Amino acid sequence: MPPVADPGALPAVEDLAAFRSTVLARGRELYRDLPWRRTRDPYAIWISEVMLQQTQVSRVDGRWQHWLELFPTVDALAAADSADVLDEWQGLGYNRRALSLWRAAQEVSEAGGCMPSDEAALKALPGVGPATAAGIRAFAFDLPGAYLETNVRAVLLHELFPREESVPDARLVPIARATCPPDASDPADDTRTWYYALLDYGAHLKATVPNPSRRSRSHVRQSRFEGSHRQKRAEVLRILLAHRADPRGGVDIETLCVELSRKERAAGRRGVDVSDAQALLVELSREGFCHNNGNIWCT
């Protein structure tokens, strides 16, 4: 595939057509029959999109089904206790995503319980960015748009920018829009089929060649988790969730400090003092993860 020469221009029409033919052929060859592809329920698809943002497909398969057993509809999620939502989310990445899902579900439920299909309405929901909105629109409603996530970037960079570094999304988004089918008139080449092909081809590329998405300007190497501030926050939340059954409904700061220090020392790090624990709890409470009930911290 000829590389894009003019930084501000789309590839030639014939090159876009060749690109689409290549992607659709690879998509048929590499298709993954994933459970969230067997539904058009926008709520279920929304959950899969958020889970897949930071977690491997193999891990999401199973967790997604269990989530839907616990919270089968957007109304059920909205009515759930936030602590139950956070507890179910453990091991699936940033906890703020679970809290955003819960808050967004409440907004949708209050508006009638139907997930919107409009791009602006989706992006107005807590935690829903352009890629998540485009994914919901594509896979639930078969609506066109620029669904630009890491596997899609990998294909665009591999096929159209094979020798370029630090390629900005501003050059990729117009190509994503131009190559996306405008409607669902052809079931073999509708929006769902097109983006499944890009996702599966991109996953294949990342497993077989040096990851092309690293040549995206938006690529950020994940910082080390173990020993980080993020890790301590996550551990504090796990301790709080583990103490939900305590007769007091939570945990005092001294006990939390002991348990957090035990975890840190087991990993070869120094323990934390009460002031460290207090700072973490205050930070988490400001974001809505917990609250102070007298001398007891609760989720």
Side-chain angles (χ1 to χ4, degrees):
M1 188 72 58
V4 179
D6 183 351
L10 285 171
V13 172
E14 58 270 23
D15 292 335
L16 286 180
F19 169 72
R20 294 192 80 258
S21 295
T22 296
V23 171
L24 288 170
R26 298 311 307 270
R28 288 189 292 271
E29 172 191 349
L30 300 165
Y31 181 76
R32 297 173 294 175
D33 183 21
L34 301 171
W36 42 89
R37 295 184 178 182
R38 303 171 202 157
T39 182
R40 287 184 180 264
D41 176 6
Y43 167 69
I45 288 169
W46 172 39
I47 299 303
S48 72
E49 286 295 302
V50 178
M51 285 186 173
L52 289 163
Q53 286 173 8
Q54 199 183 348
T55 308
Q56 292 182 343
V57 167
S58 59
R59 181 162 177 77
V60 172
D61 188 359
R63 294 296 302 271
W64 177 77
Q65 293 92 322
H66 192 255
W67 178 282
L68 293 178
E69 290 174 6
L70 294 177
F71 317 114
T73 65
V74 69
D75 290 327
L77 177 58
D81 189 289
S82 62
D84 290 332
V85 176
L86 288 165
D87 195 32
E88 180 58 24
W89 190 261
Q90 295 307 290
L92 289 170
Y94 291 117
N95 288 304
R96 71 172 70 95
R97 288 184 176 144
L99 211 53
S100 292
L101 278 170
W102 179 67
R103 289 168 174 162
Q106 291 181 321
E107 291 191 15
V108 174
S109 184
E110 289 170 4
C114 293
M115 288 289 296
S117 60
D118 177 73
E119 182 179 10
L122 285 167
K123 287 163 62 176
L125 294 172
V128 177
T132 302
I136 295 168
R137 282 168 50 82
F139 304 131
F141 301 107
D142 226 332
L143 292 171
Y147 178 55
L148 196 62
E149 61 82 73
T150 181
N151 285 338
V152 175
R153 283 191 187 90
V155 176
L156 294 172
L157 292 165
H158 178 76
E159 291 288 341
L160 299 172
F161 301 88
R163 292 180 293 277
E164 293 194 42
E165 300 290 335
S166 192
V167 180
D169 282 355
R171 295 180 66 185
L172 303 180
V173 168
I175 298 173
R177 292 194 184 279
T179 54
C180 180
D183 54 47
S185 58
D186 181 0
D189 184 16
D190 57 12
T191 305
R192 283 165 61 99
T193 302
W194 172 242
Y195 279 122
Y196 289 157
L198 280 166
L199 289 169
D200 294 343
Y201 184 21
H204 171 76
L205 287 172
K206 288 163 72 173
T208 56
V209 301
N211 186 356
S213 60
R214 292 175 183 165
R215 294 188 286 104
S216 165
R217 188 174 296 174
S218 65
H219 177 76
V220 177
R221 185 180 294 276
Q222 184 68 46
S223 60
R224 180 179 175 85
F225 179 71
E226 284 301 318
S228 68
H229 184 69
R230 288 188 299 120
Q231 179 264 326
K232 290 182 177 62
R233 280 171 50 104
E235 188 58 35
V236 167
L237 184 57
R238 278 193 285 270
I239 293 170
L240 290 170
L241 290 168
H243 280 271
R244 290 171 62 203
D246 189 289
R248 300 174 297 175
V251 62
D252 60 87
I253 194 167
E254 290 79 12
T255 301
L256 184 144
C257 192
V258 168
E259 294 187 16
L260 181 57
S261 291
R262 185 184 302 129
K263 175 77 174 182
E264 291 295 292
R265 292 190 183 105
R269 298 184 290 269
R270 73 169 184 85
V272 299
D273 56 30
V274 170
S275 63
D276 293 331
Q278 180 75 22
L280 288 164
L281 287 164
V282 169
E283 184 178 314
L284 288 168
S285 68
R286 286 194 189 119
E287 297 173 31
F289 288 103
C290 63
H291 63 277
N292 188 359
N293 185 14
N295 293 321
I296 303 300
W297 285 89
C298 314
T299 51

